[in-house]
């Protein structure tokens, strides 16, 4: 990361959290800012050995299908409405969302946020030198109920980091949430209590929709409801003759979404960042929507087990929370 980018990140985070009152509020703002920083500055979104043990998908039950010939008469309203309905069905069914994420001209790392920052002390909201040497070429992101688990791997399938936010127990009859994980090359772990619960679910609007915040299911559904996509024909993706949707670039960020015409669920989304025209970063997210069957839950638990933290790893301060995302694209 260049010094200029680091300075922009530091200044932006300081401004974004200047009036933070409690750690939960800071987490919500920091996670939002981290996502925005990785979109607008870093050039890619705030995710082999991580291949999912396949289970039944919800494609057959999410929404009624149509024939290939019928697709020629579809309108953007028809497609987006059906896709919204399919994603709503996914939400109601509490499906397991699995996202395999790669990026060109960049790599994945973590941004470490200091939740102790409140704008009135000498501390900063970001710790740019902590875990700054982590680099992964692929991220597998699991989302199920209140759990968000992201694991970064090298090209050869070696686990680089595992970062999760989720419930870890109860206290006084209420769920207790924590950010936890490990950076394996650095032999470092973290356990960060999150006051007030998982305060990363900020309200969605048409400006911040279409990304992985707080989940792809919600982000894409909101973007579809905002009518930001237009039809762009059909294209085969992963063996599926998908419906292609394009989002007009805004602030140098454009998106292409491919939808399965038999289920209207997203198959893939590409996010292109053109801050560096000669080498724009392109993040590709391939989706799977899994029913919470015994086999698919076993796959999720296997991923959690894969991210087990060795007892001899050193611990970060309890106020430090690493948030995964893509790094600055290479010049």
């Amino acid at each position: 990361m260049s010094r200029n980018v680091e300075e922009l990140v530091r200044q932006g985070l300081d401004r974004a959290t200047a009036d933070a009152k409690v750690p939960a509020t800071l987490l919500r703002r920091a996670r939002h800012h981290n996502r925005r920083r990785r979109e607008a500055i870093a050039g890619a979104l705030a995710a082999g050995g991580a291949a999912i043990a396949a289970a039944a998908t919800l494609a057959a039950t999410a929404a009624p299908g149509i024939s290939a010939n019928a697709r020629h008469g579809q309108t953007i309203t028809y497609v987006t409405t059906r896709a919204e309905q399919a994603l709503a069905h996914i939400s109601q069914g509490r499906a397991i969302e699995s996202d395999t994420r790669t990026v060109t001209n960049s790599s994945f790392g973590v941004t470490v946020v200091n939740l102790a920052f409140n704008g009135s002390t000498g501390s900063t909201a970001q710790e740019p030198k902590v875990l700054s040497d982590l680099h992964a070429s692929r991220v597998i992101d699991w989302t199920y109920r209140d759990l968000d688990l992201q694991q970064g791997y090298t090209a050869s399938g070696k686990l680089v980091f595992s970062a999760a936010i989720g419930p870890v127990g109860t206290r006084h009859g209420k769920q207790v949430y924590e950010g936890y994980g490990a950076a394996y090359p650095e032999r470092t772990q973290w356990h960060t209590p999150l006051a007030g619960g998982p305060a990363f679910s900020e309200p969605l609007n048409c400006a911040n929709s279409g990304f992985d915040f707080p989940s792809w299911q919600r982000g894409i559904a909101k973007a579809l409801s905002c009518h930001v996509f237009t039809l762009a024909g059909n294209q085969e993706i992963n063996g599926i003759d998908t419906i292609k949707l394009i989002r007009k670039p805004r602030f140098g960020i454009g998106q292409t979404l491919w939808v399965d015409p038999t289920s209207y669920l997203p198959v893939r989304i590409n996010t292109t960042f053109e801050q560096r025209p000669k080498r724009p970063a392109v993040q590709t997210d391939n989706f799977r929507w899994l029913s919470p069957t015994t086999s698919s839950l076993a796959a999720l638990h296997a991923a959690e087990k894969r991210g087990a933290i060795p007892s001899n790893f050193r611990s970060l301060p309890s106020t430090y929370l690493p948030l995964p995302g893509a790094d600055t694209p290479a010049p």
Side-chain angles (χ1 to χ4, degrees):
M1 181 185 296
S2 71
R3 185 173 181 178
N4 289 338
V5 171
E6 286 186 0
E7 182 65 17
L8 286 172
V9 172
R10 183 189 65 76
Q11 293 176 356
L13 274 170
D14 289 349
R15 287 195 301 271
T17 58
D19 58 348
K21 301 295 184 183
V22 296
T25 303
L26 174 59
L27 172 59
R28 184 185 70 250
R29 297 187 179 199
R31 184 174 171 115
H32 170 71
H33 184 91
N34 180 59
R35 176 177 59 80
R36 282 317 216 184
R37 166 241 171 177
R38 294 188 186 282
E39 295 164 11
I41 299 177
L45 286 172
I52 302 165
T57 68
L58 296 176
T61 60
I66 58 171
S67 69
N69 291 334
R71 291 204 301 275
H72 296 297
Q74 291 179 10
T75 65
I76 184 61
T77 299
Y78 181 86
V79 173
T80 55
T81 299
R82 295 292 286 271
E84 284 183 74
Q85 292 172 347
L87 288 168
H89 182 92
I90 287 288
S91 177
Q92 294 167 4
R94 292 186 176 273
I96 300 172
E97 176 187 325
S98 179
D99 169 23
T100 301
R101 183 174 306 162
T102 57
V103 65
T104 61
N105 299 327
S106 187
S107 61
F108 297 101
V110 298
T111 295
V112 179
V113 175
N114 183 2
L115 300 185
F117 174 78
N118 61 16
S120 62
T121 69
S123 64
T124 60
Q126 186 204 3
E127 302 295 333
K129 296 182 180 180
V130 179
L131 304 182
S132 59
D133 292 331
L134 290 181
H135 299 286
S137 61
R138 173 168 49 185
V139 168
I140 305 296
D141 189 354
W142 295 83
T143 304
Y144 180 58
R145 296 183 182 270
D146 290 330
L147 174 67
D148 180 11
L149 171 64
Q150 299 184 62
Q151 296 179 325
Y153 295 84
T154 64
S156 62
K158 185 177 181 180
L159 185 61
V160 178
F161 63 80
S162 182
I165 293 179
V168 292
T170 59
R171 182 181 301 157
H172 305 304
K174 295 182 179 180
Q175 284 275 27
V176 177
Y177 291 84
E178 183 179 80
Y180 55 95
Y184 300 94
E186 304 286 345
R187 302 180 62 82
T188 299
Q189 64 173 313
W190 60 90
H191 291 272
T192 311
L194 304 180
F200 48 86
S201 297
E202 69 175 44
L204 281 169
N205 54 53
C206 292
N208 66 15
S209 64
F211 303 104
D212 64 341
F213 186 82
S215 69
W216 278 114
Q217 178 267 318
R218 291 180 59 186
I220 293 176
K222 182 62 178 179
L224 291 168
S225 71
C226 292
H227 306 291
V228 298
F229 288 99
T230 58
L231 288 177
N234 300 92
Q235 183 177 348
E236 184 172 320
I237 299 291
N238 297 337
I240 302 171
D241 185 21
T242 65
I243 301 171
K244 184 178 181 180
L245 304 168
I246 293 180
R247 183 176 190 169
K248 184 178 180 180
R250 185 182 183 192
F251 304 120
I253 304 172
Q255 285 186 312
T256 303
L257 172 66
W258 291 269
V259 175
D260 186 336
T262 62
S263 66
Y264 288 90
L265 289 173
V267 173
R268 174 183 293 176
I269 191 166
N270 274 3
T271 305
T272 303
F273 305 88
E274 301 175 349
Q275 284 79 9
R276 299 185 180 188
K278 292 183 179 180
R279 300 190 66 187
V282 181
Q283 179 172 302
T284 299
D285 292 82
N286 288 292
F287 302 107
R288 299 188 69 190
W289 314 92
L290 309 175
S291 298
T293 61
T294 300
S295 58
S296 58
L297 286 170
L300 172 58
H301 295 328
E304 292 182 284
K305 185 177 180 180
R306 194 179 303 121
I309 303 173
S311 59
N312 61 346
F313 275 21
R314 72 180 183 90
S315 297
L316 292 178
S318 61
T319 58
Y320 283 14
L321 180 66
L323 297 173
D327 299 317
T328 304

